[in-house]
């Protein structure tokens, strides 16, 4: 799963197929390698958007061990995180994860998650990683310059089938783009402006918590945003359930 | 995990019933989560559960006001000394920059009744804002515990948002080095009065005029949402 993009419908189809093959007692499908499902752990990750008018860019979801971290507070964002945070494109971020140590599976949401909406994706991990398993989820609040929401290294070690954990998450400023809120700088539907730009012109090129947005309604006359684009914490809810 | 990862209270109560006091060696990492707020010298202390450095809805002590208005933790330290607290003052060695972190090491082996943790530091630029972790029961099981910390207003000074004095009872906020650099000047000041009790800070107004306007605080850079800090307790 690490290099391919899969979502729930596809995983379910594969699971059904594997079950059918196991029932037949043989593997006569040349296109599908035999999978010993008993050694695979499967987790459903449900992500909810709790904002009023901040769509989440397609989520990046990573199953990993202790050696990986999506980002650190007080350190500069990777380019992959910058691309995600400024334009909502998670492909470089997922590429970085796939190249990182102790990353066991990655997946992406199929589309943005609208305000109030949710999405379920599936992670599949070899059972040998059960004792150290963590999960990270990262997504952009697309009506901002460079704000993300993230679960970093949520501990799901030693989950048994049916175990579930729910956490509520805050927003972070990746520090890669000045928070001008100006027309032409915000990729989301509030503006339709620029996404990724390699320049790093924020006051402090490190990841911190986000202070939210001001908007034109709250006195930033040069902002393209309005009061509906404001938020408070938490902004995202993530539930992780082991289903196999 | 971004939220407390263990059910702390139940664990502490369970231990308290079987073992009256627990010795502990632990570290306390304070992370400044804000985009543009500096923390003045931080006080990290373990103390007995019957004492509190502040209480929401109640007036601040003069010692807390001294910390919240000017960043001076001497008064808070005196209170803590008087109650036999285990202190680790100023782990950052001065200002803690946005995104930065500092770690204090505490050992309560010699004072096993000091079972709760408090962390306070002024937020700059604000008139009397501070980060406050208030009498958190210290975990006793070895492990790493993450706690979110909110910003409070001490209620002792009007939030005029102007560069001024750090002395208790005097208007304005002190602006050492990097805070002065990031602050404006010549603001006319926001009409406000001291609120008279400790409460969750309502945030700053600020403006985008560095040489005038109503405020010397930058509305783009100095705004925050709670939590303003994380405290990571690692019990050894």
């Amino acid at each position: 799963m690490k290099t391919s993009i899969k979502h729930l419908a596809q995983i379910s189809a594969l699971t059904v197929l594997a079950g059918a093959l196991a029932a037949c007692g043989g593997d006569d499908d040349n296109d599908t390698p035999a999978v010993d499902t008993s050694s695979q752990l499967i987790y459903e990750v449900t992500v909810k958007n709790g904002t009023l008018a901040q769509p989440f860019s397609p989520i990046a979801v990573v199953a990993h061990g202790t050696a990986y971290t999506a980002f650190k507070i007080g350190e500069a964002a990777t380019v992959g995180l910058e691309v995600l945070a400024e334009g909502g494109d998670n492909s470089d971020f997922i590429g970085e994860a796939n190249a990182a140590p102790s990353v066991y599976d990655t997946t992406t949401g199929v589309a943005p998650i609208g305000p109030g909406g949710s999405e379920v994706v599936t992670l599949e991990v070899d059972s040998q990683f059960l004792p150290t398993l963590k999960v990270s989820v990262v997504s952009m609040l697309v009506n901002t310059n460079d704000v993300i929401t993230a679960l970093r290294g949520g501990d799901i070690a030693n989950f048994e089938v049916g175990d579930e954990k729910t956490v509520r998450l805050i927003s972070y400023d990746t520090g890669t783009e000045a928070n001008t809120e100006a027309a032409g700088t915000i990729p989301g539907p509030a503006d339709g402006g620029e996404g990724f730009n390699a320049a790093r012109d924020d006051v402090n090129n490190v990841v911190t918590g986000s202070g939210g947005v001001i908007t034109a309604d709250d006195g930033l006359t040069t902002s393209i945003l309005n009061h509906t684009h404001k938020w408070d914490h938490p902004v995202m809810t993530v539930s992780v359930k082991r289903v196999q | 995990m971004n939220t407390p990862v263990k059910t702390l209270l139940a664990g502490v109560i369970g231990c308290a019933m079987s073992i009256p006091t627990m010795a502990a060696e632990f570290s306390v990492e304070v992370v400044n989560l804000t985009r543009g707020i500096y923390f003045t010298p931080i006080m990290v202390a373990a103390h007995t559960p019957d004492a509190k450095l502040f209480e929401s809805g109640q007036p601040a002590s003069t010692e807390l006001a001294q910390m919240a208005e000017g960043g001076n933790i001497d008064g808070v330290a005196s209170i803590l000394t008087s109650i036999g607290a285990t202190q680790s003052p100023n782990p950052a060695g001065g200002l803690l920059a946005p995104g930065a972190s500092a770690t204090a090491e505490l050992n309560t082996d010699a004072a096993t009744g000091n079972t709760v943790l408090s962390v306070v530091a002024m937020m700059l630029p604000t008139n009397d804002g501070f980060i406050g972790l208030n009498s958190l029961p210290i975990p006793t099981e070895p492990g790493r515990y993450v706690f979110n910390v909110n910003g409070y207003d001490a209620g002792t000074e009007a939030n005029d948002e102007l560069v001024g004095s750090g002395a208790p009872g005097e208007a304005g906020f002190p602006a050492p080095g990097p805070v002065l650099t990031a602050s404006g000047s010549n603001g006319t000041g926001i009409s406000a009065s001291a609120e008279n009790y400790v409460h969750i800070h309502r945030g700053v107004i600020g403006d985008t005029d560095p040489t005038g306007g109503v405020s010397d605080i930058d509305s783009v850079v100095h705004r925050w949402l709670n939590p303003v800090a994380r405290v990571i307790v690692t019990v050894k």
Side-chain angles (χ1 to χ4, degrees):
Chain A
M1 299 305 143
K2 193 168 172 180
T3 53
S4 65
I5 294 168
K6 295 196 172 165
H7 56 96
L8 188 58
Q10 290 169 308
I11 290 287
S12 298
L14 270 181
T15 306
V16 170
L17 180 59
L21 291 172
C24 294
D27 178 11
D28 57 2
D29 184 342
N30 293 329
D31 297 327
T32 307
V35 175
D36 178 5
T37 54
S38 65
S39 69
Q40 291 293 307
L41 315 172
I42 298 179
Y43 298 84
E44 280 182 5
V45 181
T46 304
V47 178
K48 294 181 184 173
N49 179 340
T51 70
L52 173 64
Q54 289 286 347
F56 289 177
S57 66
I59 53 174
V61 184
V62 183
H64 59 90
T66 52
Y68 172 81
T69 183
F71 60 88
K72 289 182 179 172
I73 303 295
E75 295 187 5
T78 62
V79 173
L81 184 64
E82 179 184 8
V83 170
L84 189 162
E86 295 182 9
D89 175 0
N90 67 21
S91 55
D92 287 4
F93 178 83
I94 289 176
E96 288 175 355
N98 285 331
S102 87
V103 168
Y104 310 136
D105 193 16
T106 57
T107 191
T108 178
V110 293
I113 303 174
S118 63
E119 182 176 11
V120 181
V121 298
T122 300
L123 292 167
E124 195 166 333
V125 178
D126 191 283
S127 61
Q128 66 176 302
F129 302 124
L130 185 66
T132 60
L133 195 59
K134 300 174 188 295
V135 62
S136 292
V137 179
V138 181
S139 175
M140 179 191 185
L141 277 62
V142 300
N143 288 325
T144 68
N145 291 101
D146 62 338
V147 173
I148 57 171
T149 180
L151 166 65
R152 294 177 299 147
D155 182 8
I156 54 170
N158 297 316
F159 264 27
E160 296 181 0
V161 174
D163 283 357
E164 185 168 11
K165 179 181 282 185
T166 298
V167 287
R168 299 191 297 166
L169 294 313
I170 69 168
S171 58
Y172 297 89
D173 189 316
T174 52
T176 61
E177 180 178 325
N179 296 334
T180 64
E181 305 178 22
T185 70
I186 290 172
D191 181 26
E194 183 184 54
F196 172 65
N197 183 317
R200 297 207 176 192
D201 58 357
D202 207 340
V203 292
N204 193 4
N205 182 23
V206 299
V207 183
T208 64
S210 169
V213 289
I214 303 172
T215 82
D217 288 330
D218 217 357
L220 186 61
T221 54
T222 52
S223 174
I224 192 69
L225 303 177
N226 64 47
H227 62 92
T228 67
H229 301 113
K230 296 170 79 77
W231 69 87
D232 205 343
H233 290 150
V235 295
M236 175 172 72
T237 303
V238 176
S239 296
V240 184
K241 182 179 185 181
R242 184 178 163 196
V243 295
Q244 175 179 304
Chain B
M1 198 64 67
N2 290 333
T3 48
V5 293
K6 304 202 174 169
T7 45
L8 168 64
L9 196 57
V12 170
I13 290 168
C15 291
M17 286 188 292
S18 55
I19 307 169
T21 53
M22 294 289 293
E25 184 179 1
F26 55 97
S27 68
V28 178
E29 181 182 6
V30 181
V31 182
N32 182 341
L33 274 184
T34 70
R35 190 76 207 123
I37 301 291
Y38 286 79
F39 298 167
T40 62
I42 303 162
M43 175 56 81
V44 180
H47 55 86
T48 53
D50 59 351
K52 279 187 176 178
L53 287 179
F54 66 95
E55 185 161 354
S56 287
Q58 297 296 318
S61 65
T62 55
E63 292 85 354
L64 190 83
Q66 185 182 41
M67 180 279 299
E69 294 188 32
N72 182 349
I73 56 175
D74 291 349
V76 169
S78 294
I79 290 178
L80 291 166
T81 299
S82 73
I83 62 171
T86 305
Q87 299 179 47
S88 182
N90 197 15
L95 295 175
L96 186 70
S101 59
T103 301
E105 303 287 343
L106 283 87
N107 187 329
T108 56
D109 284 350
T112 55
N114 290 340
T115 57
V116 300
L117 177 69
S118 289
V119 178
V120 293
M122 183 191 188
M123 298 167 62
L124 274 179
T126 70
N127 287 88
D128 59 340
F130 68 100
I131 69 164
L133 181 68
N134 197 2
S135 297
L136 174 89
I138 299 164
T140 52
E141 294 288 323
R144 182 175 181 272
Y145 304 80
V146 182
F147 303 95
N148 287 327
V149 178
N150 292 327
Y152 289 87
D153 188 311
T156 57
E157 181 178 315
N159 293 356
D160 67 3
E161 302 194 359
L162 297 180
V163 175
S165 171
E170 296 184 10
F173 59 83
V179 178
L180 185 62
T181 302
S183 298
S185 58
N186 297 316
T188 55
I190 289 170
S191 178
S193 52
E195 304 88 351
N196 297 325
Y197 59 89
V198 179
H199 54 279
I200 291 289
H201 202 294
R202 60 193 181 274
V204 295
I205 302 297
D207 63 41
T208 54
D209 183 348
T211 56
V214 296
S215 171
D216 290 341
I217 290 175
D218 186 322
S219 61
V220 177
V221 174
H222 295 133
R223 55 194 290 102
W224 71 83
L225 294 173
N226 283 324
V228 292
R230 288 221 169 94
V231 163
I232 303 165
V233 176
T234 303
V235 179
K236 292 161 186 172

